[in-house]
Amino acid sequence: MIRDIFVSFLNKNNEIEKLKIKTGTIVGDLLSDMHIPLENLYALKINNELCPLDTPIEVTSFVEPVLSDTKEGAAIYRRSLCFLLAAAANKLFPNIRLVVGHSLGHGYFYTFDKESTLTDAEFTLLQQEMRDLVKKDLQIKTTYISYEEATKLFEVYKLTETRKLMNFTGKARIKINTIERFADLYFNALVPSTGILKTFEIKKYKEGFFLRFPKSSNPNELTKFVEEPKLYELYKTYKDWGKRLNVTSVASLNELICHQKINDFIDISETYQEKTISDIATQIYSSKKVRIVLIAGPSSSGKTTTSKKLGLELQAIGYTPKIISLDCYYKGREFTPLDENGEPDFECLEALDVDLLNQNLIDLFDGKEVTIPSYDFHSGKQFFDTKNNMILNKNEILIMEGIHGLNDQLTPKIPHEMKFKIYLSALTQLNLDDHNRISTSDNRLIRRIVRDFNFRGKSAAGTISMWQSVRNGEIKHIFPFQNNADAILNTALDYELAVLRVYAAPLLRQINPTMKEYTEATRLLTFLENFVTVPSTAVPPRSILREFIGVSAFKY
């Protein structure tokens, strides 16, 4: 039944205004009444839910614009660009499967599922077709169709993985996106038309190519392409491993769960990760001169458990590991630099007593006894206690984990050959389907939501609210140094999101539509709904996953 409802919005004076409308009114038709310009507008938030401009309004709502230079806007642009590429590829090469892969810098790596990559002529055609679609400024439509219609549609376009994924979501209405006659499924809002997608590049690389896009702070310009060969090779190795096991998508994982074969896959996944850690321990042993192992990685990459597992592997080959926490070397709150908000910046290198750390390491390597400092987070002061005295014997090796581990400015006085640096990344090789990837950042955020609730008493909204600040610190202090690593370890487990859904979904559902974190919560819930669940009892006690869900064999 059509009825009157109200739409609220902020006007130019930052005051709330209201419009009376009929239910079913398309939100994009109200832009002029709400004084929202189309320029730089990618989507709208309706009661804190991200929606495309062709969304009908059915209830009383508060509406906000999502602009190009925001985090949400950048994600919408990237997602829409992927759709543009898929539409162009389908038109030119309808019988060749296009598959999205990992991210690298400001780009996604793609391959065509055939024996050889595109020829130079085919590659030029693909770029030109994308440019032509942009020039036509075609509407990107979002509509709902029945389950039966969707299955037939995805079969016509040979979107096999998308079709298989529908077997596990059980929805009667399927949301699809269309450009002209091509249809695909994306899991969140897209830009209103192809004409917006002017800034991109496709760049041939190895056996595939990168779809490159701008960063949110400068949406009209591409950054310089920077190779990251170690990370690329890690992903390729892991992707090949998934192909050998025939588990490359969420649908194929769900099939294992439903056919009660998931326990074998869990064992294989854990064994593969254990072997990788063992191989790194062998690398360390082979170098002979290494006295300290430095471990770094972004939030929730599993640094603590990895340190413990590596310690066991080193013990197995004759070392006795000792652990030094970088937190001990905080100078003190009064000596800590301030950030742009006037708050102590504990994440910057200058917050640490680098000179003392280096002198302690030199003395330890010379066989001298040193007193490792301690730091009282309550008082914000560094102090010394002889109970923390340490001597490093000949067969003993130090393990130190922290965000600055890969930065040579942390240990400038220690010879390169005495250090072994490890970078951790939770880089799943699974895709949702051929055109929807699983973000490494999403994987880590879901891990952290679960861990923060289980062990720190923090709500999902609290974790989401500070996540961008965490990400900013990673971009500044960790990612620029990842190519300094002597080894890169992938800490993702391809079954973990099926376990984490059990914990994370109820926490995310506690975030209501009046909260700004609702936008992210609904996106993550939509993502997690694609996974059939796995009980936590299936997770081995020494798994990295136990660091987040609890009941680990390790003490933290």
Side-chain angles (χ1 to χ4, degrees):
M1 182 180 69
I2 297 176
R3 59 189 178 89
D4 290 335
I5 55 174
F6 287 97
V7 169
S8 302
F9 59 95
L10 288 178
N11 63 21
K12 293 178 180 179
N13 298 320
N14 212 31
E15 299 170 337
I16 294 178
E17 283 191 29
K18 285 186 178 182
L19 291 174
K20 182 188 285 188
I21 65 168
K22 299 293 185 183
T23 54
T25 301
I26 302 300
V27 67
D29 294 340
L30 301 174
L31 296 179
S32 59
D33 294 326
M34 293 188 292
H35 317 295
I36 297 175
L38 279 171
E39 184 181 6
N40 300 324
L41 179 68
Y42 285 176
L44 294 162
K45 288 184 184 179
I46 303 175
N47 292 335
N48 281 318
E49 185 174 2
L50 203 60
C51 299
L53 300 190
D54 56 0
T55 302
I57 300 181
E58 303 292 349
V59 297
T60 294
S61 303
F62 185 80
V63 176
E64 301 172 85
V66 179
L67 304 178
S68 61
D69 59 352
T70 61
K71 172 181 171 287
E72 289 98 345
I76 291 168
Y77 191 94
R78 293 194 297 267
R79 195 160 46 242
S80 305
L81 204 55
C82 293
F83 187 27
L84 182 76
L85 171 63
N90 179 267
K91 182 175 180 179
L92 294 175
F93 317 113
N95 296 315
I96 303 176
R97 182 183 171 202
L98 175 72
V99 183
V100 68
H102 64 294
S103 65
L104 195 71
H106 298 286
Y108 296 148
F109 184 70
Y110 278 84
T111 55
F112 280 98
D113 192 22
K114 64 174 187 174
E115 293 182 0
S116 59
T117 59
L118 292 184
T119 65
D120 289 343
E122 289 172 326
F123 195 78
T124 300
L125 280 174
L126 181 59
Q127 286 204 85
Q128 189 56 53
E129 180 60 29
M130 291 179 71
R131 297 288 179 196
D132 289 346
L133 290 174
V134 171
K135 287 179 183 177
K136 291 178 181 178
D137 194 21
L138 301 166
Q139 184 181 1
I140 298 177
K141 298 179 181 179
T142 302
T143 55
Y144 283 87
I145 61 176
S146 71
Y147 176 90
E148 186 178 5
E149 287 176 296
T151 57
K152 292 177 180 177
L153 186 69
F154 296 141
E155 286 167 2
V156 167
Y157 288 115
K158 298 182 173 61
L159 299 173
T160 306
E161 293 301 320
T162 309
R163 167 65 186 88
K164 284 166 59 179
L165 193 57
M166 290 174 57
N167 293 336
F168 304 100
T169 53
K171 293 182 178 179
R173 298 168 71 241
I174 308 297
K175 183 172 71 173
I176 63 163
N177 309 105
T178 57
I179 296 177
E180 287 187 316
R181 296 180 180 178
F182 178 70
D184 204 346
L185 186 154
Y186 290 83
F187 295 92
N188 220 314
L190 302 177
V191 298
S193 68
T194 60
I196 292 171
L197 305 171
K198 294 182 176 69
T199 308
F200 71 89
E201 175 189 38
I202 55 175
K203 182 180 181 64
K204 290 187 74 172
Y205 190 81
K206 303 288 186 180
E207 71 274 17
F209 63 92
F210 278 102
L211 173 63
R212 303 193 62 238
F213 42 76
K215 57 183 181 180
S216 59
S217 59
N218 192 357
N220 298 314
E221 187 176 326
L222 296 176
T223 58
K224 182 182 177 182
F225 179 73
V226 179
E227 287 195 72
E228 296 181 25
K230 291 180 180 178
L231 205 58
Y232 172 83
E233 287 301 324
L234 173 71
Y235 176 80
K236 185 177 184 304
T237 299
Y238 200 42
K239 194 71 175 177
D240 290 343
W241 175 81
K243 287 179 180 178
R244 290 195 299 272
L245 294 176
N246 292 317
V247 183
T248 59
S249 69
V250 174
S252 53
L253 176 69
N254 288 343
E255 286 175 344
L256 285 181
I257 298 169
C258 291
H259 295 152
Q260 298 184 357
K261 296 180 179 179
I262 190 61
N263 288 335
D264 287 343
F265 183 69
I266 290 173
D267 289 342
I268 293 167
S269 300
E270 295 284 351
T271 301
Y272 185 75
Q273 194 172 89
E274 295 273 3
K275 181 182 182 304
T276 307
I277 297 173
S278 177
D279 289 344
I280 291 174
T282 301
Q283 268 186 273
I284 294 168
Y285 181 81
S286 299
S287 47
K288 301 298 183 185
K289 295 183 180 180
V290 172
R291 300 303 307 277
I292 182 168
V293 179
L294 297 151
I295 301 175
S299 175
S300 302
S301 56
K303 295 184 290 293
T304 304
T305 304
T306 298
S307 299
K308 293 178 180 295
K309 286 192 166 193
L310 181 63
L312 291 176
E313 294 290 348
L314 290 170
Q315 283 184 278
I317 55 179
Y319 285 113
T320 300
K322 288 188 173 180
I323 296 175
I324 293 181
S325 172
L326 265 182
D327 289 355
C328 298
Y329 287 89
Y330 278 124
K331 290 177 179 178
R333 196 172 296 148
E334 69 270 27
F335 304 111
T336 301
L338 302 181
D339 63 17
E340 62 273 11
N341 299 315
E343 298 293 329
D345 185 1
F346 291 107
E347 292 192 341
C348 71
L349 183 63
E350 291 74 19
L352 299 173
D353 195 337
V354 172
D355 290 337
L356 177 60
L357 170 63
N358 280 262
Q359 189 57 55
N360 281 172
L361 293 177
I362 290 169
D363 290 342
L364 285 169
F365 299 153
D366 286 343
K368 299 177 183 178
E369 184 175 19
V370 303
T371 301
I372 303 298
S374 299
Y375 186 78
D376 184 343
F377 282 90
H378 180 70
S379 67
K381 295 184 181 297
Q382 187 185 71
F383 66 95
F384 296 86
D385 190 326
T386 54
K387 290 189 296 186
N388 293 329
N389 282 10
M390 180 184 287
I391 295 177
L392 198 66
N393 296 314
K394 194 171 183 179
N395 69 324
E396 293 179 329
I397 189 169
L398 293 175
I399 297 178
M400 187 160 59
E401 59 103 342
I403 65 173
H404 298 289
L406 304 183
N407 185 351
D408 284 326
Q409 293 304 307
L410 177 71
T411 53
K413 297 181 181 179
I414 309 303
H416 176 75
E417 63 271 15
M418 298 181 74
K419 298 181 284 190
F420 192 94
K421 299 190 282 284
I422 303 172
Y423 175 68
L424 307 187
S425 178
L427 188 71
T428 181
Q429 59 87 25
L430 289 181
N431 286 343
L432 282 175
D433 58 21
D434 287 351
H435 300 161
N436 287 276
R437 56 184 294 275
I438 294 177
S439 162
T440 300
S441 176
D442 283 353
N443 199 346
R444 293 189 292 108
L445 174 55
I446 291 166
R447 281 180 171 186
R448 180 144 182 173
I449 287 170
V450 173
R451 186 188 67 187
D452 281 359
F453 178 80
N454 284 338
F455 304 111
R456 300 177 183 178
K458 182 177 285 189
S459 67
T463 300
I464 289 171
S465 69
M466 47 77 72
W467 184 244
Q468 190 55 48
S469 175
V470 171
R471 295 276 292 139
N472 292 340
E474 295 167 354
I475 292 167
K476 185 175 180 181
H477 299 301
I478 299 176
F479 297 150
F481 305 102
Q482 59 193 20
N483 282 325
N484 293 347
D486 298 294
I488 300 180
L489 174 67
N490 186 3
T491 64
L493 295 160
D494 283 342
Y495 71 90
E496 69 176 86
L497 287 165
V499 177
L500 290 170
R501 176 185 172 180
V502 178
Y503 294 84
L507 302 178
L508 292 167
R509 290 192 188 101
Q510 293 177 37
I511 301 175
N512 68 62
T514 65
M515 303 164 70
K516 63 180 181 179
E517 293 83 13
Y518 186 75
T519 307
E520 188 73 338
T522 54
R523 186 184 69 82
L524 292 173
L525 278 169
T526 300
F527 165 64
L528 286 170
E529 284 173 358
N530 293 287
F531 292 83
V532 174
T533 58
V534 170
S536 62
T537 51
V539 181
R542 283 174 45 183
S543 173
I544 277 177
L545 190 51
R546 288 285 175 192
E547 183 176 330
F548 307 98
I549 66 173
V551 197
S552 174
F554 296 112
K555 302 297 181 185
Y556 297 105

